[in-house]
Amino acid sequence: MMILLLVNPQEYTQSFYQGLMIFCISVLPSMFPFFFFTKLLTSLGLGKYLSTLFSKPCRFLFNAPDVGGYIWCMSLISGYPIGAKLVCDFYESGQISSKQAKKLVPFTSSSGPLFILGTVGVSIFNNYLLGLVVLISHILSTLVNGIIFRGKKIATDTPLVFHAPQYDKALSDSVYNSVTSILIVGAYIALFNMLGDMLKGMGVIEILSKALSTLLSPFFLENSAEALLFGFVEMTRGCLLLSQSGISPVMMAGFSSLIVTFGGLGICIQSMTFLGKCGVSPLYYLITKTTQSLIAFGFALLFSTLIL
């Protein structure tokens, strides 16, 4: 990649710049407030009340610690990578153990409704119903995935203790924490946008898309296979290419759900950056994201057949 950057610096620095603009214009204004308020609410003790409210459903469905309900709600509202970040926050504050963090991973990794309905449904596909199908499929996939990975025993090796809120530090700590986290997100978006263009420039995506479309024909057109592969690198760009592929609305909803639920390598590495601090292995995270993506794909095909 460094050689490509040196050989053709103008093209790939421009690609990085485009990724940075996507982050600054589309992601930063919508995501930073969520980063800030979720951290602030956590610091002020909201997790205690939501954890109490959702404790029984969370333990019954997922065999997960009480904070799982709070993290699930915040992840669904705020989007990637809030779920992984909150798991990390609770682990670093000593409120959950590494084993408990692992219990939370399968159902607390989700995209936000603002991105799915606004960006994917309206802006990219110009179809609010399609966005709604993707959103419903995405939410249901978190629940089913959490049940699949619930295990036989409830992880209770570390008691859940909420510390008294430090009101004097809550605001400043939330700002500092949010700025650091959002810069990590921006760096990944810009880098993986450039990485996708590098893979395309090397012909890797074209070769793989031809092989995929040939292998799974007639379900794939070559350009839809390329969009799907690009989506596994960077999901926003993948959805955009998918909207230009000419496939049926049903398959478009299915593939969009698959891409958005997986999140792309950029999102995966962002999440693994936080979860690695909790002792959660990258392999385990990728396995849970793969099953969740396939579940969302199945739900989207079913709902889109009935609605679209």
Side-chain angles (χ1 to χ4, degrees):
M1 299 303 171
M2 288 180 67
I3 291 172
L4 287 175
L5 196 57
L6 290 170
V7 171
N8 198 348
Q10 183 175 357
E11 179 179 349
Y12 293 121
T13 52
Q14 179 65 23
S15 176
F16 184 88
Y17 174 79
Q18 289 174 348
L20 200 58
M21 287 300 100
I22 291 173
F23 165 70
C24 291
I25 295 171
S26 301
V27 178
L28 178 61
S30 60
M31 187 172 287
F32 180 79
F34 284 114
F35 268 67
F36 171 74
F37 285 116
T38 52
K39 178 61 179 176
L40 182 62
L41 291 171
T42 303
S43 300
L44 294 177
L46 180 65
K48 176 181 179 180
Y49 301 104
L50 285 181
S51 297
T52 302
L53 181 65
F54 287 104
S55 60
K56 289 184 179 179
C58 194
R59 288 185 177 275
F60 175 74
L61 291 174
F62 311 124
N63 281 341
D66 296 349
V67 294
Y70 169 67
I71 299 175
W72 180 73
C73 289
M74 291 298 103
S75 178
L76 287 176
I77 292 170
S78 309
Y80 299 122
I82 288 291
K85 180 178 176 296
L86 287 175
V87 171
C88 181
D89 286 346
F90 279 106
Y91 174 78
E92 290 185 329
S93 64
Q95 298 178 67
I96 60 174
S97 68
S98 179
K99 289 182 179 179
Q100 289 172 324
K102 190 176 180 179
K103 283 279 188 179
L104 298 171
V105 170
F107 66 94
T108 58
S109 178
S110 56
S111 183
L114 183 64
F115 175 78
I116 294 176
L117 292 176
T119 303
V120 176
V122 177
S123 298
I124 294 179
F125 292 105
N126 195 28
N127 189 331
Y128 180 82
L129 279 179
L130 189 146
L132 191 60
V133 167
V134 174
L135 178 62
I136 295 172
S137 303
H138 186 68
I139 293 173
L140 290 176
S141 73
T142 64
L143 296 174
V144 175
N145 204 47
I147 293 172
I148 290 174
F149 288 93
R150 71 193 300 269
K152 296 182 179 180
K153 295 181 180 180
I154 299 174
T156 56
D157 51 323
T158 302
L160 181 62
V161 178
F162 284 91
H163 304 294
Q166 294 181 305
Y167 297 105
D168 56 329
K169 294 183 178 180
L171 189 63
S172 59
D173 287 351
S174 298
V175 171
Y176 178 81
N177 187 280
S178 302
V179 169
T180 304
S181 300
I182 200 69
L183 288 176
I184 292 173
V185 173
Y188 277 121
I189 289 175
L191 283 170
F192 276 85
N193 187 73
M194 184 178 69
L195 175 63
D197 283 331
M198 285 180 168
L199 292 173
K200 187 174 182 179
M202 293 166 62
V204 174
I205 289 183
E206 182 181 0
I207 292 171
L208 291 176
S209 63
K210 285 183 178 180
L212 186 62
S213 59
T214 301
L215 181 65
L216 298 178
S217 179
F219 300 103
F220 277 96
L221 299 173
E222 185 177 325
N223 52 352
S224 65
E226 179 179 336
L228 189 62
L229 290 169
F230 214 110
F232 287 134
V233 178
E234 208 287 305
M235 65 173 177
T236 308
R237 184 90 171 266
C239 288
L240 185 61
L241 293 174
L242 195 63
S243 69
Q244 303 165 355
S245 64
I247 59 175
S248 68
V250 171
M251 295 307 296
M252 198 171 288
F255 288 146
S256 299
S257 295
L258 187 69
I259 290 172
V260 169
T261 304
F262 185 74
L265 287 177
I267 294 295
C268 288
I269 295 180
Q270 289 174 46
S271 299
M272 287 187 287
T273 299
F274 294 115
L275 295 174
K277 300 175 184 178
C278 310
V280 177
S281 71
L283 179 61
Y284 178 77
Y285 174 79
L286 289 174
I287 289 173
T288 61
K289 286 306 290 180
T290 300
T291 57
Q292 185 187 350
S293 302
L294 293 174
I295 293 166
F297 176 73
F299 275 128
L301 290 182
L302 174 63
F303 294 145
S304 59
T305 302
L306 299 174
I307 297 174
L308 298 180

